[in-house]
Amino acid sequence: MTHPPHDSSPSYATYPWQPVTPPPTPPPAPRATPRHPALGHHRDLRVLRTAYRRQRRVATLTALGYFTLFLLLSACAPSLMNGTVSGGLTTGLLLGLVQLPVMCVAIALYEFTARRRLDQLAARLRKLAELEASRD
């Protein structure tokens, strides 16, 4: 029985059942900082969000505040609400009828301030986003 020479068996740097370590990857190149801040952190976007939030609160509180006042007067001051204003029209009925114009005024003020201030901010941000998209 002859044995093969030692030179004939392959030599392994590691054991065959151990995983081969991949070569090290170079670190990523540093990214250039953009000239403008990211759109989500832009000052105008924060101003726009704050203005929308304030506008919604004012409109909601105007409408709900008047309705709450009407309900409180109906519950706590029935003699005031049953008082006659003129020609059989009670104060409660008059305040109930005035509720519709109050809602319309709240909606009109909401639209007016949106056109006057918020639409300009939104248009400026939209234009900035288009410019950023065209640069990339």
Side-chain angles (χ1 to χ4, degrees), residues 74-105:
S74 297
C76 299
S79 60
L80 174 71
M81 297 298 272
N82 286 331
T84 304
V85 176
S86 69
L89 182 66
T90 63
T91 308
L93 184 60
L94 180 65
L95 290 176
L97 291 173
V98 169
Q99 188 170 356
L100 182 65
V102 167
M103 296 284 277
C104 291
V105 167

Side-chain angles (χ1 to χ4, degrees), residues 6-129:
H6 289 290
D7 300 3
S8 66
S9 66
S11 62
Y12 296 102
T14 60
Y15 293 106
W17 57 84
Q18 288 182 334
V20 178
T21 57
T25 58
R31 294 186 71 197
T33 56
R35 286 183 13 182
H36 300 289
L39 215 76
H41 302 291
H42 200 274
R43 180 185 172 278
D44 286 342
L45 188 58
R46 285 193 308 268
V47 168
L48 183 65
R49 286 179 187 149
T50 304
Y52 269 125
R53 191 177 305 122
R54 184 180 307 126
Q55 188 181 23
R56 284 191 310 262
R57 285 179 185 161
V58 167
T60 302
L61 290 176
T62 300
L64 287 178
Y66 184 81
F67 183 68
T68 304
L69 176 69
F70 177 76
L71 289 178
L72 287 174
L73 285 175
S74 297
C76 299
S79 60
L80 174 71
M81 297 298 272
N82 286 331
T84 304
V85 176
S86 69
L89 182 66
T90 63
T91 308
L93 184 60
L94 180 65
L95 290 176
L97 291 173
V98 169
Q99 188 170 356
L100 182 65
V102 167
M103 296 284 277
C104 291
V105 167
I107 292 169
L109 284 174
Y110 184 89
E111 289 181 0
F112 175 74
T113 56
R115 282 194 198 113
R116 197 177 107 233
R117 183 157 187 244
L118 300 177
D119 288 349
Q120 292 174 1
L121 281 172
R124 186 176 354 158
L125 281 173
R126 196 174 300 119
K127 186 176 180 179
L128 183 64

